Amino acid sequence: MTPRRRRRDQRNEAARLTDQLLEEGFNKKQVGEILGRNPSLVSQFFTKNKGASMVEALRAVVQEVQAGGPRSIDSLKALADAHIQPRLNKAGSKARVRGKIGARAEKTVKDRRGKPVIGPDGAPVKAWSSSLARAGRQHIASGASRLRPVVEDAAKFGGKVAFTVRARKGAFKHDSGRNADSPGLRRNVVQRRDGTEERAYADNRGGPGSGEEGFDGREFKALVDAAGGDITAAVQKWLVDNDRIEPGAPIVGLEIRAWKPRED
C-alpha cells in the first residue's frame, strides 16, 4: 500500500523553511547547493523527516532572502555554512564535508621547507586566512552583530577589510565606475530591480580608501568602535565623510570581507 503523502501542516521545520525558499523562486537543487549537501537530502526533508541539523542555516537564509539581501547561491551558501553544525566522525573529530565556501577559513601553517607545522596534539597547525559575513535589512536594523567577528578577526590577525554596500541607487553621489567612487570596480556594481544598487569598496589594489589593498583591519575596527560597535553606522559615516553617499541614506544590505595579505 502506498503511504499517504505527509500533510503540509505536519512537515518538519526544515521542510517548512525549504517551502518558503521554493516560494521565493529557488528549486530543491539550489537549496541543496546553498546547504552544501546533495539535493536528494532536501527531498528527504519532506519524505523522511530529515534536516534537523539544517534548520538554523535554512532559517538564516530565509531571513536574508525575505529581507531583500543578496540572492546569489554563493552568497547564501556562505551565510548558511556559518550555521551548519559540523559532522563528527566515529572518533569525535570534525568530519570532512562537501563544500568549499565558508564564513571563516583557515590555512595550514608551513615551515621554511614548505612542510606543515605539527602542533602538540599531532595535528597540523592552522592559522586564520579569511572571514566573510552578510546582513540584510532586518539584521542591520538590529545592529548587524553577525558582522562583528569578521572585523575582530581582521584586527586581531593583522588582516585587511573590504565591504559591499547595498542602498538606493539615487543615494550614491557618483555614477558607478567613475574614478571618484569605484575605479576599475564596474564589475562589482550590481543593480537590482527594486531600485537598489550594490557597490564594493576597498576590494581592488589601489582602490578608493584602500591604501594598497583593503582597509587596515585595526584602523577599520577603530572606526567601528567609534560608532559604538555598530558596523553599519561606521560604514555609513565613511561613505558620507568621503562623499560617496547622501547623508541619512539607509543601507539595506552590507557584506564585510576580511583576509590575511600574502607574505611574499
Side-chain angles (χ1 to χ4, degrees), residues 22 24 59 99 107 128 132 135 160 165 211 218 221 224-225 244 249 251 257:
L22 298 180
E24 290 286 343
R59 185 175 291 122
K107 63 181 179 181
W128 173 81
L132 176 149
K160 299 288 187 177
V165 175
R218 296 182 182 88
K221 183 176 182 298
V224 173
D225 290 342
R244 300 295 198 274
I251 292 176
R257 301 174 297 284

Side-chain angles (χ1 to χ4, degrees), residues 86-141:
R87 299 171 180 171
L88 300 180
N89 56 28
K90 293 182 179 180
S93 301
K94 183 177 178 180
R96 296 181 63 184
V97 297
R98 293 180 295 274
K100 298 180 180 179
I101 299 176
R104 190 176 192 276
E106 296 179 333
K107 63 181 179 181
T108 301
V109 177
K110 297 183 179 180
D111 59 23
R112 294 180 179 179
R113 295 175 295 177
K115 294 184 178 181
V117 175
I118 305 301
D121 59 354
V125 175
K126 301 285 186 177
W128 173 81
S129 60
S130 65
S131 297
L132 176 149
R134 297 178 175 88
R137 287 184 178 91
Q138 294 179 354
H139 201 70
I140 286 174

Side-chain angles (χ1 to χ4, degrees), residues 18 20-31 34 61 65 70-73 76:
T18 300
Q20 294 185 43
L21 290 177
L22 298 180
E23 291 171 359
E24 290 286 343
F26 296 90
N27 56 45
K28 290 183 180 180
K29 179 180 179 182
Q30 290 172 321
V31 174
I34 290 169
V61 171
V65 171
R71 296 174 65 95
S72 72
I73 300 301
L76 295 176

Side-chain angles (χ1 to χ4, degrees), residues 77-89:
K77 185 175 181 180
L79 172 59
D81 188 72
H83 296 271
I84 295 175
Q85 296 297 322
R87 299 171 180 171
L88 300 180
N89 56 28

